[in-house]
Amino acid sequence: YPLVCLVSYDYPSCWGDLAPSDRRIKQNIALVDPKKQLENMQKIQVVEYQYKPEYLAKFTDEERAHMKKKQTGVIAQDLKMVLPDAVESAGDIVLDSGAEVKTCLL
């Protein structure tokens, strides 16, 4: 899964697989139009949220302790409308309540 990072309150919050960013291991590097990227960033809404208890139930106590706190980030469905390549599917997941979330987005 992609690494997703968001800087809020002067510290980065990251989750997902770490992807090396070293120039020495990359090729076909091309600059992106900064004006277009700024326009994209202005379209992305940053929100505060909490995960539902039935989702948190599948994690360890240590993970839940961190994840149950108020989070700052983006909603995958909203991000997909602006930057479709930044969002991937985790497939279907089943919540502790038995409810199924089809095509859960990351």
Side-chain angles (χ1 to χ4, degrees):
Y1 302 110
L3 175 68
V4 179
C5 293
L6 176 69
V7 177
S8 62
Y9 305 108
D10 297 324
Y11 66 90
S13 174
C14 301
W15 60 96
D17 293 335
L18 293 177
S21 187
D22 194 302
R23 175 183 294 277
R24 297 170 293 178
I25 61 171
K26 295 181 177 184
Q27 65 181 8
N28 302 325
I29 299 169
L31 293 178
V32 178
D33 178 10
K35 183 178 178 186
K36 177 66 176 167
Q37 292 309 310
L38 182 57
E39 289 172 8
N40 285 342
M41 293 301 294
Q42 290 173 329
K43 294 176 187 174
I44 298 170
Q45 293 183 332
V46 177
V47 298
E48 291 181 338
Y49 60 91
Q50 288 182 286
Y51 289 106
K52 294 179 177 183
E54 57 268 29
Y55 175 70
L56 293 176
K58 61 187 350 174
F59 294 93
T60 66
D61 290 341
E62 185 178 332
E63 291 169 325
R64 273 196 306 274
H66 174 71
M67 293 175 68
K68 72 178 183 180
K69 296 176 184 175
K70 185 174 14 175
Q71 307 286 319
T72 301
V74 297
I75 304 299
Q77 288 84 347
D78 298 339
L79 181 60
K80 187 175 183 176
M81 291 189 307
V82 179
L83 298 170
D85 291 340
V87 178
E88 292 187 24
S89 171
D92 299 343
I93 63 169
V94 179
L95 302 178
D96 196 50
S97 65
E100 188 174 27
V101 178
K102 297 271 190 194
T103 317
C104 183
L105 299 179
L106 301 172

